[in-house]
Amino acid sequence: MAGFKEAQGDLRLESVTKTFGDFVAVDDIDLHVPRGSFFALLGPSGCGKTTTLRMIAGLEQPTSGRVLIGDTDLTGSRPYERPVNTVFQSYALFPHLTIRDNVAFGPKRRKAADAATLAADALELVQMTQFAGRKPAQLSGGQQQRVALARALVNHPEVLLLDEPLGALDLKLRREMQVELKRIQTEVGLTFIHVTHDQEEAMTMADTVAVMNKGTIEQLGAPADLYDLPRTRFVANFLGQANTGVGAIEGTDGDHLVADVLGTKVRINKARSQVHDGNVLFGVRPEKVQVSRTKPDGVGNDVKGVVRDVSFLGVATSYLVDMPSGTTWSCYEQNLDVDPIDLRPGDEVWLTWNPGHAFGVAAEDQ
Ligand SMILES: Nc1ncnc2c1ncn2[C@@H]1O[C@H](COP(=O)(O)OP(=O)(O)OP(=O)(O)O)[C@@H](O)[C@H]1O
Ligand SMILES: [Mg+2]
């Protein structure tokens, strides 16, 4: 069998658990990351993202379970034995070395004959060639982050782990680097595992997003699928905005469930609901909700509310509407007409949506 370092293929975590004392940081997770994909681990602070990465890197060993690349079981092996490199939020470059030498450090240490060429290629990839002769202190934060990336890529790892690598950058630079990282990943074709708590970052960059909560993976899928059809209340609220209400399921109407929300009937496509009896939390995304002054005919899902706030955003107008249930809904209307409906706070409005756009999840989080 080839050594750990030569392992190739998909990354897999099998029933991986990590406990610190009696605290379960990562709770029996299974993950399958296809080779060459851009995978994001998304979740709130403390949910176990870094701990998961550290187990993939070998900086931490699972309490139980296995970490594999292809058919090679890496569990128990040391970090330097694994074909895995990590880029952290703090880039920790060697301050006394030039950029060129920082990047060549890895190849030189493993006595690669072409260390200089490898370093030059990696700097080219992150567009830092012109700064090769400088010291880290002479670079901006974003430039240092590129060098840190080059220093990891130069080793050509099978899996590159990125732990909030853009966290220290300002918003504009962060957006630029997101595009840049995606380009680099496509170019090198390596497996990237990107940890973030920024849902927009995860959605714009990754092929697949795993949403983590309290040490478990709540849902995993393509960004558009997670947004369109969240399977838990947590995912519905963590990934984008959701207008929600709790209703009691009363029966069915063809392909739809009918739920009663404080006297208002709402319909949810059966295939889009995780629960089929009892209480359901139904949800609909803000851009799927239409606002009108009069009750529209025939749509079927309509609720009357009172406008709380109107914000003109240029491309769209955003409304906040107080609902009879006591919650506030958000909706966006694209500004297509020269004469938009002139709504003011205090106005009564009807909100409608296509039942095919609603989703249903368990009302109580378990
Ligand atoms: N060495 C340790 N000893 C004890 N508890 C730890 C240790 N490392 C992590 N934890 C705990 O495990 C949980 C998960 O930590 P982790 O660093 O994986 O979170 P995270 O999802 O990366 O959060 P953040 O977004 O804040 O970086 C936290 O509650 C943390 O306090
Ligand atoms: Mg972390």
Side-chain angles (χ1 to χ4, degrees):
M1 196 174 90
F4 300 122
K5 199 84 195 173
E6 286 73 45
Q8 286 188 346
D10 298 356
L11 170 74
R12 278 178 301 136
L13 270 60
E14 292 181 354
S15 313
V16 167
T17 293
K18 180 70 188 180
T19 55
F20 296 107
D22 55 8
F23 178 75
V24 185
V26 174
D27 191 2
D28 193 26
I29 64 170
D30 288 291
L31 262 190
H32 178 194
V33 182
R35 187 178 195 205
S37 59
F38 199 130
F39 190 92
L41 267 182
L42 172 71
S45 183
C47 73
K49 304 179 298 292
T50 295
T51 306
T52 304
L53 275 202
R54 288 173 59 82
M55 289 191 285
I56 299 169
L59 296 163
E60 207 77 77
Q61 294 296 339
T63 309
S64 59
R66 305 200 301 164
V67 176
L68 299 103
I69 290 181
D71 296 328
T72 311
D73 184 352
L74 300 177
T75 322
S77 64
R78 313 297 309 156
Y80 58 83
E81 295 176 306
R82 303 185 181 199
V84 176
N85 274 87
T86 312
V87 179
F88 297 100
Q89 178 174 354
S90 58
Y91 2 94
L93 301 174
F94 300 119
H96 57 288
L97 296 183
T98 61
I99 298 311
R100 182 182 293 115
D101 289 339
N102 260 283
V103 179
F105 187 84
K108 276 185 184 158
R109 195 175 51 178
R110 58 168 200 271
K111 305 203 165 39
D114 52 352
T117 317
L118 289 173
D121 289 349
L123 283 174
E124 180 79 39
L125 188 66
V126 300
Q127 298 176 340
M128 287 295 293
T129 305
Q130 56 183 325
F131 300 107
R134 289 202 193 170
K135 298 276 177 63
Q138 297 167 307
L139 299 180
S140 73
Q143 290 165 343
Q144 291 187 46
Q145 191 54 273
R146 281 166 194 263
V147 176
L149 188 61
R151 203 172 54 164
L153 288 168
V154 75
N155 299 317
H156 211 82
E158 179 68 8
V159 175
L160 185 71
L161 306 176
L162 302 133
D163 195 354
E164 303 264 2
L166 311 181
L169 308 181
D170 67 44
L171 192 65
K172 183 163 175 289
L173 199 52
R174 198 177 166 116
R175 297 283 174 253
E176 278 172 28
M177 277 301 285
Q178 287 169 5
V179 176
E180 191 65 353
L181 258 182
K182 182 73 199 155
R183 171 191 69 78
I184 291 167
Q185 192 271 338
T186 311
E187 212 166 308
V188 296
L190 304 174
T191 308
F192 275 34
I193 307 209
H194 184 108
V195 158
T196 178
H197 56 250
D198 177 343
Q199 49 108 5
E200 186 178 326
E201 181 161 302
M203 290 211 279
T204 53
M205 297 171 78
D207 308 315
T208 307
V209 176
V211 180
M212 275 191 91
N213 183 26
K214 296 181 187 154
T216 64
I217 291 176
E218 290 253 339
Q219 193 174 347
L220 181 155
D225 294 341
L226 294 189
Y227 183 79
D228 179 57
L229 194 56
R231 286 206 295 262
T232 67
R233 184 179 199 146
F234 179 82
V235 175
N237 290 316
F238 198 75
L239 215 70
Q241 281 179 292
N243 297 311
T244 57
V246 175
I249 296 174
E250 292 192 323
T252 58
D253 169 17
D255 289 339
H256 295 91
L257 298 168
V258 180
D260 179 274
V261 186
L262 297 170
T264 304
K265 308 284 181 220
V266 299
R267 294 186 301 153
I268 311 164
N269 196 315
K270 280 181 196 165
R272 293 177 57 85
S273 186
Q274 309 302 315
V275 281
H276 292 101
D277 49 44
N279 280 347
V280 62
L281 180 95
F282 82 94
V284 58
R285 299 294 187 185
E287 74 282 6
K288 307 284 185 351
V289 178
Q290 272 91 50
V291 186
S292 47
R293 276 195 183 281
T294 50
K295 184 175 160 73
D297 296 329
V299 182
N301 285 315
D302 38 49
V303 184
K304 196 157 86 168
V306 176
V307 175
R308 171 200 285 239
D309 184 62
V310 181
S311 312
F312 178 72
L313 306 172
V315 291
T317 300
S318 149
Y319 300 95
L320 291 179
V321 179
D322 289 329
M323 304 299 279
S325 59
T327 57
T328 301
W329 277 31
S330 153
C331 32
Y332 292 92
E333 296 288 311
Q334 254 188 294
N335 289 325
L336 301 172
D337 299 325
V338 186
D339 261 342
I341 40 172
D342 182 23
L343 289 172
R344 305 282 163 85
D347 288 354
E348 285 197 337
V349 283
W350 288 90
L351 302 184
T352 55
W353 62 95
N354 178 335
H357 286 149
F359 54 81
V361 298
E364 295 85 25
D365 265 352
Q366 40 304 64

